[in-house]
C-alpha cells in the first residue's frame, strides 16, 4: 500500500501510525489474560499522551482542540437554524457503526427537547454492515458519493463528517471529494488518526483522486474554514491495524465532545470554549483510568471468554440500550479481524430492531446472524447453551433491572458461566435487592460506580467504558485462542484492498520473501489453486477480494506455503493437524 510519507517517522517508516505494530504488545500472543489486559491498558492510555514530538498532533494538541471548537460552532449554527440542513456522519466498518451510534444518541437528545432529528448516518454496505462485516463496499468511492447525494437531496446546508481512522477508505474519500466540489452546500469534516501526510496514496480504480490528494485539498480548504481536519495520532493499535479499538474509541470521544459542546451552546446557553473542550477530554481520560482500575475483573472475563472460544463454544453478550449496541459492534468485527465465525461472539439487544431506529428497519430476514433481539437469543441460542459458553449481562442502573434478573435466571438454568458488567452513578440509591440477586446468579460482576458530578454525559462515559471492556474481552479471548501471531491478525480476511495489502505485507514480514512471491502465494490461497491461471493474474484486486469472501484461513495457508515451500494441499493438512493458527505458524517459523 502506498502512503505519501514526506517526513519519515520513528520506526516502520513506510507505515502510517494506524498500521504500525505497537512495541507495547509485541509479545501479546504469549501473554496470560492478566498481562493482555495490562498491555491493552497501556495502549489505551497512549491515546491521551501529550507532546509526542512535532510530527504528530495528539488529542490534547492545540490545533486539535481549536478545530474541535470550530466544528462545534458549525454544528451550533445548524442546530439553531435547522431548516433545510443536515449533519451527516459516515464511515466504513466500526467507523460507520459509530456514526450510527452517535447519530442515534444525539437525535434522541433532540427528540427529548421536541426538536426534529438532524443527524443522519451512512455506513458502507448499508444497514447489514451495522451487525456483520461487509468490507468490499469500503473500496467503492462512487457508492459513497451516491449514498451521500441521496440523503442530502434538496438540502441547502450539510455538515458532512467522514470518519476513516486510517485516512484510507475510498468510500469516504469519494464523499469528501464530492463535498469539496460543492462547497456552497457541503462543509466536509474528516476524522482520522494519522497525520495528513500519511493518508493513503494508492490509486482508486475509476478515480482521479486518492485519499491523500483529497486530504491535501481539504488542507487548502481548511485555511478558509471551508473544510476541517481532526486527525490526532493515538498511537498504533494493540493488534496492528485493528482500528476498531483505539481508532473507534477516539472517534467516539472526539465526536461526542464536539456534538455535546454544540448542544450545550444551543440549548443551555453554555458557549463553546477551549477550556470546556479540554475539560471534557480529561473526563474521558479519567473514564479510561476508571475502567482499567478494574483490571482484575476484566481479566476474569478475558480468561473465561478465552476458555469458551478455545473449546469451540461461544461468547454471548446480552445487553440493554446503547451498551448493547456497543456489544453488537464489538461482535461484528471478530470475523474480519480474527477469522471468527459469527457464532463465536454474538451480541443481543433488548427490544431488537424496534428500539434501534436504523434506516432499513428489521433485518431479521437476512439470516440467523441478524437475529439480534433478546427473543432471538431465547429461541435460537439459549436451548443449546452449556457451561462452556460464557454469557455477559451488560446494563446500567437506568435499565429495567427486573428484566435483567429474569433473563439472568433463564440463562442460569443452562449455564453457570454467567457474568455481569454494570454501571451506576454514586447519586443512585444503593444497590437494589434485584442487583444483589443478579450478583448471586453471576460468577463475576464488574460493578462500575461513577461520580455524578464528573463533567461529561455519564451515559457516554459508560459506553466508552463498556467498549473498552468488550474490546478487551473479544481481543483477549481470540489471543488466548491463538488467533494472533505476535501482534498481528494472522487470520485476517482479505476482503478489501486495505486488508489485501495488509495481508501481503504481513506475509513479507513473517516469511522474508519478496512481495511478488508473497502476492502469488496469497492468490493461490484465495483461489484455492496450486497454479495461477492467466485469468487470475490479469485480474484486479477487486476480483481477488471478491473471491476471498468464499475462502477461509487464506493468510495462514499462504504463510505455511511460503515458509516450507509446500503445496496448498500440504499446508491445509498441516493447519488441520494444528488448528491453533499461532502454533501452526510458530512451529514452522521455528523450523525454518
Ligand atoms: O476493512 C475493514 C476495516 O478495517 C474495519 O475493521 C474498520 O472498522 C473499517 O475497515 C474502517 O476503517 P477506517 O476507519 O480506517 O476507514
Amino acid at each position: 500500500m502506498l502512503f505519501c510519507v514526506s517526513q519519515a517517522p520513528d520506526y516502520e517508516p513506510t507505515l502510517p501510525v494506524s498500521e504500525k505494530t505497537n512495541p507495547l504488545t509485541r509479545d501479546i500472543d504469549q501473554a496470560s489474560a492478566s498481562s493482555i489486559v495490562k498491555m491493552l491498558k497501556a495502549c489505551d492510555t497512549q491515546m491521551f499522551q501529550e507532546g509526542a514530538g512535532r510530527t504528530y498532533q495528539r488529542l490534547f494538541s492545540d490545533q486539535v482542540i481549536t478545530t474541535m471548537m470550530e466544528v462545534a460552532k458549525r454544528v451550533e449554527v445548524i442546530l439553531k437554524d435547522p431548516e433545510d440542513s443536515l449533519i451527516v456522519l459516515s464511515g466504513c466498518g466500526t467507523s460507520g457503526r459509530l456514526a450510527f451510534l452517535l447519530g442515534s444518541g444525539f437525535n434522541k437528545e433532540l427528540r427529548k427537547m421536541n426538536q426534529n432529528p438532524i443527524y443522519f448516518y451512512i455506513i458502507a454496505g448499508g444497514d447489514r454492515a451495522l451487525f456483520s462485516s461487509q468490507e468490499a463496499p469500503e473500496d467503492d468511492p462512487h457508492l459513497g458519493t451516491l449514498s451521500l447525494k441521496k440523503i442530502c437531496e434538496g438540502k441547502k446546508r450539510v455538515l458532512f463528517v467522514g470518519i476513516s481512522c486510517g485516512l484510507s477508505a475510498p468510500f469516504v474519500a469519494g464523499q469528501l471529494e464530492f463535498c469539496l466540489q460543492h462547497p456552497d452546500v457541503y462543509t466536509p469534516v474528516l476524522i482520522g488518526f494519522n497525520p495528513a501526510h500519511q493518508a493513503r496514496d494508492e490509486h482508486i480504480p475509476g478515480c482521479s483522486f486518492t485519499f491523500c490528494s483529497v486530504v491535501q485539498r481539504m488542507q487548502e480548504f481548511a485555511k478558509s474554514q471551508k473544510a476541517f481536519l481532526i486527525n490526532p495520532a493515538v498511537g498504533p493499535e494493540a493488534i496492528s491495524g485493528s482500528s476498531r479499538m483505539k481508532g473507534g474509541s477516539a472517534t467516539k470521544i472526539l465526536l461526542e465532545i464536539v456534538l455535546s459542546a454544540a448542544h450545550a451552546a444551543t440549548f443551555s446557553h453554555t458557549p463553546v470554549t477551549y477550556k470546556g473542550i479540554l475539560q471534557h477530554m480529561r473526563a474521558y481520560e479519567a473514564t479510561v483510568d476508571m475502567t482499567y482500575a478494574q483490571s482484575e475483573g476484566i481479566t476474569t472475563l478475558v480468561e473465561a471468554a478465552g476458555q469458551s472460544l478455545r473449546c469451540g463454544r461461544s461468547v454471548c453478550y446480552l445487553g440493554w440500550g446503547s451498551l448493547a449496541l456497543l456489544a453488537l459492534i464489538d461482535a461484528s468485527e471478530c470475523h474480519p479481524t480474527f477469522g471468527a465465525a459469527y457464532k463465536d461472539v454474538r451480541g443481543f439487544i433488548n427490544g431488537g430492531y424496534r428500539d434501534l431506529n436504523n434506516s432499513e428497519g428489521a433485518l431479521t430476514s437476512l439470516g440467523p446472524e441478524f437475529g439480534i433481539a433478546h427473543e432471538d437469543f431465547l429461541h435460537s441460542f439459549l436451548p443449546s447453551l452449556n457451561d462452556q459458553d460464557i454469557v455477559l449481562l451488560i446494563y446500567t442502573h437506568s435499565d429495567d433491572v427486573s428484566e435483567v434478573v429474569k433473563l439472568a435466571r433463564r440463562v442460569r438454568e443452562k449455564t453457570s458461566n454467567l457474568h455481569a458488567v454494570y454501571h451506576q452513578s454514586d447519586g443512585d440509591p444503593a444497590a437494589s435487592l434485584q442487583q444483589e440477586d443478579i450478583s448471586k446468579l453471576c460468577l463475576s460482576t464488574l460493578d462500575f460506580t461513577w461520580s455524578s458530578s464528573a463533567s461529561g454525559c455519564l451515559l457516554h462515559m459508560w459506553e466508552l467504558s463498556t467498549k473498552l471492556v468488550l474490546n478487551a474481552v473479544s481481543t483477549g479471548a481470540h489471543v488466548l485462542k491463538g488467533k494472533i501471531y505476535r501482534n498481528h491478525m494472522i487470520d485476517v480476511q482479505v476482503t478489501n484492498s486495505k486488508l489485501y495489502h495488509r495481508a501481503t505485507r504481513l506475509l513479507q514480514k513473517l516469511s522474508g520473501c519478496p512481495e511478488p512471491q508473497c502476492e502469488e502465494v496469497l492468490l493461490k490461497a484465495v483461489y484455492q489453486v496450486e497454479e495461477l491461471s492467466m485469468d487470475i493474474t490479469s485480474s484486479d484486486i477487486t476480483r481477488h477480494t471478491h473471491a476471498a469472501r468464499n475462502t477461509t484461513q487464506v493468510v495462514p495457508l499462504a504463510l505455511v506455503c511460503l515458509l516450507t515451500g509446500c503445496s496448498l494441499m500440504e499446508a491445509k493438512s498441516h493447519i488441520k493437524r494444528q488448528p491453533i493458527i499461532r502454533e501452526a505458524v510458530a512451529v514452522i517459523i521455528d523450523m525454518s
Side-chain angles (χ1 to χ4, degrees), residues 92-95 135 138 164-166 168-169 243 333 496 498-499:
C92 311
T94 290
S95 300
E135 289 84 32
E138 185 173 323
S164 181
C165 298
S168 62
S243 59
E333 281 284 345
N496 67 31
K498 175 179 75 183
L499 300 172

PDB file of all heavy atoms in Angstrom, residues 92-95 135 138 164-166 168-169 243 333 496 498-499, ligand 1:
ATOM      1  N   CYS A  92     -16.891   3.430   7.372  1.00  0.00           N
ATOM      2  CA  CYS A  92     -16.938   2.011   6.993  1.00  0.00           C
ATOM      3  C   CYS A  92     -16.647   1.171   8.243  1.00  0.00           C
ATOM      4  O   CYS A  92     -15.881   1.600   9.109  1.00  0.00           O
ATOM      5  CB  CYS A  92     -15.863   1.698   5.966  1.00  0.00           C
ATOM      6  SG  CYS A  92     -15.834   2.862   4.612  1.00  0.00           S
ATOM      7  N   GLY A  93     -17.204  -0.019   8.304  1.00  0.00           N
ATOM      8  CA  GLY A  93     -16.954  -0.914   9.436  1.00  0.00           C
ATOM      9  C   GLY A  93     -17.299  -0.214  10.744  1.00  0.00           C
ATOM     10  O   GLY A  93     -18.322   0.481  10.858  1.00  0.00           O
ATOM     11  N   THR A  94     -16.417  -0.352  11.718  1.00  0.00           N
ATOM     12  CA  THR A  94     -16.693   0.244  13.035  1.00  0.00           C
ATOM     13  C   THR A  94     -16.896   1.764  12.943  1.00  0.00           C
ATOM     14  O   THR A  94     -17.693   2.328  13.687  1.00  0.00           O
ATOM     15  CB  THR A  94     -15.557  -0.109  14.014  1.00  0.00           C
ATOM     16  OG1 THR A  94     -15.673  -1.510  14.274  1.00  0.00           O
ATOM     17  CG2 THR A  94     -15.663   0.632  15.331  1.00  0.00           C
ATOM     18  N   SER A  95     -16.224   2.412  12.013  1.00  0.00           N
ATOM     19  CA  SER A  95     -16.406   3.871  11.877  1.00  0.00           C
ATOM     20  C   SER A  95     -17.850   4.185  11.491  1.00  0.00           C
ATOM     21  O   SER A  95     -18.438   5.153  11.983  1.00  0.00           O
ATOM     22  CB  SER A  95     -15.429   4.436  10.844  1.00  0.00           C
ATOM     23  OG  SER A  95     -14.113   4.180  11.255  1.00  0.00           O
ATOM     24  N   GLU A 135     -16.802  -5.787   4.043  1.00  0.00           N
ATOM     25  CA  GLU A 135     -15.632  -4.951   3.775  1.00  0.00           C
ATOM     26  C   GLU A 135     -15.559  -4.415   2.354  1.00  0.00           C
ATOM     27  O   GLU A 135     -14.969  -3.370   2.122  1.00  0.00           O
ATOM     28  CB  GLU A 135     -14.334  -5.720   4.054  1.00  0.00           C
ATOM     29  CG  GLU A 135     -14.069  -5.978   5.508  1.00  0.00           C
ATOM     30  CD  GLU A 135     -14.794  -7.212   5.990  1.00  0.00           C
ATOM     31  OE1 GLU A 135     -14.962  -8.142   5.183  1.00  0.00           O
ATOM     32  OE2 GLU A 135     -15.234  -7.229   7.146  1.00  0.00           O
ATOM     33  N   GLU A 138     -16.331  -0.749   1.204  1.00  0.00           N
ATOM     34  CA  GLU A 138     -15.356   0.240   1.674  1.00  0.00           C
ATOM     35  C   GLU A 138     -14.484   0.753   0.519  1.00  0.00           C
ATOM     36  O   GLU A 138     -14.001   1.875   0.542  1.00  0.00           O
ATOM     37  CB  GLU A 138     -14.491  -0.457   2.746  1.00  0.00           C
ATOM     38  CG  GLU A 138     -13.495   0.411   3.447  1.00  0.00           C
ATOM     39  CD  GLU A 138     -12.822  -0.357   4.605  1.00  0.00           C
ATOM     40  OE1 GLU A 138     -13.488  -1.162   5.284  1.00  0.00           O
ATOM     41  OE2 GLU A 138     -11.623  -0.138   4.819  1.00  0.00           O
ATOM     42  N   SER A 164     -12.558   8.054   8.835  1.00  0.00           N
ATOM     43  CA  SER A 164     -11.723   6.944   8.374  1.00  0.00           C
ATOM     44  C   SER A 164     -10.462   6.957   9.239  1.00  0.00           C
ATOM     45  O   SER A 164      -9.566   7.791   9.045  1.00  0.00           O
ATOM     46  CB  SER A 164     -11.361   7.089   6.890  1.00  0.00           C
ATOM     47  OG  SER A 164     -10.581   5.981   6.500  1.00  0.00           O
ATOM     48  N   CYS A 165     -10.439   6.035  10.196  1.00  0.00           N
ATOM     49  CA  CYS A 165      -9.345   6.039  11.186  1.00  0.00           C
ATOM     50  C   CYS A 165      -7.986   6.056  10.502  1.00  0.00           C
ATOM     51  O   CYS A 165      -7.083   6.765  10.916  1.00  0.00           O
ATOM     52  CB  CYS A 165      -9.451   4.799  12.083  1.00  0.00           C
ATOM     53  SG  CYS A 165     -10.972   4.760  13.009  1.00  0.00           S
ATOM     54  N   GLY A 166      -7.857   5.284   9.431  1.00  0.00           N
ATOM     55  CA  GLY A 166      -6.568   5.179   8.765  1.00  0.00           C
ATOM     56  C   GLY A 166      -6.386   6.216   7.662  1.00  0.00           C
ATOM     57  O   GLY A 166      -5.413   6.151   6.912  1.00  0.00           O
ATOM     58  N   SER A 168      -8.007   6.286   4.933  1.00  0.00           N
ATOM     59  CA  SER A 168      -7.723   5.314   3.880  1.00  0.00           C
ATOM     60  C   SER A 168      -8.928   4.823   3.082  1.00  0.00           C
ATOM     61  O   SER A 168      -8.749   4.292   1.989  1.00  0.00           O
ATOM     62  CB  SER A 168      -7.031   4.097   4.503  1.00  0.00           C
ATOM     63  OG  SER A 168      -7.903   3.495   5.443  1.00  0.00           O
ATOM     64  N   ALA A 169     -10.164   4.946   3.587  1.00  0.00           N
ATOM     65  CA  ALA A 169     -11.291   4.273   2.916  1.00  0.00           C
ATOM     66  C   ALA A 169     -11.746   5.038   1.673  1.00  0.00           C
ATOM     67  O   ALA A 169     -12.196   6.191   1.771  1.00  0.00           O
ATOM     68  CB  ALA A 169     -12.454   4.136   3.895  1.00  0.00           C
ATOM     69  N   SER A 243      -8.352  -0.966  13.909  1.00  0.00           N
ATOM     70  CA  SER A 243      -8.781   0.404  14.228  1.00  0.00           C
ATOM     71  C   SER A 243     -10.103   0.447  14.977  1.00  0.00           C
ATOM     72  O   SER A 243     -10.531   1.508  15.413  1.00  0.00           O
ATOM     73  CB  SER A 243      -8.862   1.240  12.955  1.00  0.00           C
ATOM     74  OG  SER A 243      -9.776   0.651  12.063  1.00  0.00           O
ATOM     75  N   GLU A 333     -16.940  -7.157  14.532  1.00  0.00           N
ATOM     76  CA  GLU A 333     -15.585  -7.054  13.964  1.00  0.00           C
ATOM     77  C   GLU A 333     -14.762  -8.328  14.124  1.00  0.00           C
ATOM     78  O   GLU A 333     -13.637  -8.402  13.655  1.00  0.00           O
ATOM     79  CB  GLU A 333     -14.835  -5.894  14.625  1.00  0.00           C
ATOM     80  CG  GLU A 333     -15.208  -4.522  14.099  1.00  0.00           C
ATOM     81  CD  GLU A 333     -14.610  -4.194  12.726  1.00  0.00           C
ATOM     82  OE1 GLU A 333     -13.679  -4.894  12.302  1.00  0.00           O
ATOM     83  OE2 GLU A 333     -15.096  -3.249  12.097  1.00  0.00           O
ATOM     84  N   ASN A 496     -11.032  -6.659   1.255  1.00  0.00           N
ATOM     85  CA  ASN A 496     -10.972  -5.377   0.540  1.00  0.00           C
ATOM     86  C   ASN A 496      -9.507  -5.017   0.325  1.00  0.00           C
ATOM     87  O   ASN A 496      -8.607  -5.722   0.805  1.00  0.00           O
ATOM     88  CB  ASN A 496     -11.770  -4.263   1.246  1.00  0.00           C
ATOM     89  CG  ASN A 496     -11.178  -3.843   2.583  1.00  0.00           C
ATOM     90  OD1 ASN A 496      -9.968  -3.897   2.802  1.00  0.00           O
ATOM     91  ND2 ASN A 496     -12.051  -3.429   3.485  1.00  0.00           N
ATOM     92  N   LYS A 498      -7.508  -2.657   1.349  1.00  0.00           N
ATOM     93  CA  LYS A 498      -6.666  -2.371   2.527  1.00  0.00           C
ATOM     94  C   LYS A 498      -6.231  -3.672   3.199  1.00  0.00           C
ATOM     95  O   LYS A 498      -5.063  -3.847   3.532  1.00  0.00           O
ATOM     96  CB  LYS A 498      -7.466  -1.507   3.520  1.00  0.00           C
ATOM     97  CG  LYS A 498      -6.740  -1.241   4.817  1.00  0.00           C
ATOM     98  CD  LYS A 498      -7.555  -0.369   5.756  1.00  0.00           C
ATOM     99  CE  LYS A 498      -8.705  -1.123   6.408  1.00  0.00           C
ATOM    100  NZ  LYS A 498      -9.533  -0.256   7.268  1.00  0.00           N
ATOM    101  N   LEU A 499      -7.191  -4.589   3.371  1.00  0.00           N
ATOM    102  CA  LEU A 499      -6.884  -5.853   4.045  1.00  0.00           C
ATOM    103  C   LEU A 499      -5.966  -6.723   3.179  1.00  0.00           C
ATOM    104  O   LEU A 499      -5.085  -7.427   3.684  1.00  0.00           O
ATOM    105  CB  LEU A 499      -8.183  -6.595   4.390  1.00  0.00           C
ATOM    106  CG  LEU A 499      -9.143  -5.813   5.320  1.00  0.00           C
ATOM    107  CD1 LEU A 499     -10.477  -6.534   5.462  1.00  0.00           C
ATOM    108  CD2 LEU A 499      -8.513  -5.586   6.696  1.00  0.00           C
TER     109      LEU A 499
HETATM  110  O1  LIG B   1     -11.651  -3.108   6.300  1.00  0.00           O
HETATM  111  C1  LIG B   1     -12.303  -3.378   7.487  1.00  0.00           C
HETATM  112  C2  LIG B   1     -11.983  -2.336   8.482  1.00  0.00           C
HETATM  113  O2  LIG B   1     -10.622  -2.433   8.750  1.00  0.00           O
HETATM  114  C3  LIG B   1     -12.751  -2.423   9.764  1.00  0.00           C
HETATM  115  O3  LIG B   1     -12.145  -3.286  10.627  1.00  0.00           O
HETATM  116  C4  LIG B   1     -12.738  -0.986  10.210  1.00  0.00           C
HETATM  117  O4  LIG B   1     -13.662  -0.774  11.209  1.00  0.00           O
HETATM  118  C5  LIG B   1     -13.024  -0.330   8.911  1.00  0.00           C
HETATM  119  O5  LIG B   1     -12.220  -1.039   7.996  1.00  0.00           O
HETATM  120  C6  LIG B   1     -12.832   1.147   8.815  1.00  0.00           C
HETATM  121  O6  LIG B   1     -11.517   1.596   8.728  1.00  0.00           O
HETATM  122  P1  LIG B   1     -11.226   3.108   8.656  1.00  0.00           P
HETATM  123  O7  LIG B   1     -11.956   3.779   9.778  1.00  0.00           O
HETATM  124  O8  LIG B   1      -9.766   3.256   8.789  1.00  0.00           O
HETATM  125  O9  LIG B   1     -11.718   3.627   7.314  1.00  0.00           O
END
